[in-house]
Amino acid sequence: MVKFKSPWITALIVAGIVLVCLVVAIPVGWYLISPLFINRQVAEGLPAPAIEIIPATATAALEAAQVEPTREMKEPMPTEAAAGPVALRQGSFYSIAHDGSGRATVYQLADGSRILRFESFEVLNGPDLHVYLAPIDPVPNSVGAEIPGSVDLGKLKGNIGDQNYDLPPDLDLAGFKSVVIWCQPFRVPFAAAALATP
């Protein structure tokens, strides 16, 4: 080890090392710890069926019908309501490494697409949380071990509130039994919900 004759030089070197350590440690510490104290709230609605635009010819027929309100219609009224979201799978969140609550539901929308929806959802916030579909149930409380066969649906939009996640069109739901809130940096499951047919 190199020894300097002047205590001032030694003090400056030590101060420089401490400063470099602080410059690195403060941002890393903020990234890892600050989410525990910051909540991100989301309030997304359930997608509604598309509203059909009435063509001009139908508008003209409606205006003609208003002129003759007592005229009897020969065509039957449609009996089917517009197709809305249909629940395919659902389950309640349970705590694993941290407290989690709320409901997860997979919906098929009127256009055939599918979404994963969280309602009354809440989990402790953390660094870089993602939403996973996992092929296992229950999800074990393990640190540092990935869940083989999982599908990452993207970053968690918020640790509180209602939110939607698009599912890939070619995803076979039969292969997945749970939705997991997964912490990427620590590779740990925060909370999960078992997905079952309603």
Side-chain angles (χ1 to χ4, degrees):
M1 183 173 169
V2 177
K3 292 188 177 182
F4 296 100
K5 294 182 180 177
S6 170
W8 292 104
I9 294 175
T10 305
L12 283 174
I13 291 172
V14 169
I17 292 171
V18 169
L19 183 62
V20 168
C21 289
L22 286 175
V23 166
V24 171
I26 289 174
V28 169
W30 177 255
Y31 169 75
L32 295 175
I33 303 216
S34 68
L36 299 174
F37 308 105
I38 298 171
N39 288 322
R40 292 182 47 213
Q41 193 155 0
V42 179
E44 291 183 331
L46 182 63
I51 298 171
E52 190 176 330
I53 306 285
I54 300 173
T57 55
T59 305
L62 182 61
E63 289 172 359
Q66 288 176 342
V67 174
E68 299 179 53
T70 57
R71 183 175 164 192
E72 188 176 320
M73 296 287 291
K74 293 182 183 177
E75 296 174 9
M77 292 294 289
T79 55
E80 284 187 26
V86 176
L88 302 176
R89 303 269 191 283
Q90 62 186 16
S92 295
F93 277 97
Y94 57 90
S95 304
I96 302 178
H98 296 289
D99 289 338
S101 62
R103 190 151 199 81
T105 307
V106 175
Y107 286 103
Q108 182 162 346
L109 304 179
D111 64 1
S113 64
R114 296 170 302 169
I115 61 164
L116 172 64
R117 177 167 172 79
F118 297 167
E119 293 175 321
S120 302
F121 173 72
E122 188 166 350
V123 71
L124 181 71
N125 204 358
D128 202 15
L129 296 181
H130 280 238
V131 178
Y132 278 18
L133 286 178
I136 58 173
D137 174 50
V139 176
N141 186 357
S142 59
V143 177
E146 298 288 338
I147 302 172
S150 295
V151 172
D152 186 350
L153 297 179
K155 204 168 174 62
L156 183 70
K157 295 176 182 178
N159 67 306
I160 298 174
D162 301 345
Q163 48 206 284
N164 305 316
Y165 298 88
D166 293 327
L167 296 181
D170 58 345
L171 183 73
D172 181 9
L173 281 177
F176 299 96
K177 297 179 181 176
S178 299
V179 57
V180 183
I181 307 305
W182 184 260
C183 179
Q184 295 276 34
F186 294 108
R187 297 190 304 169
V188 62
F190 271 37
L195 295 175
T197 305

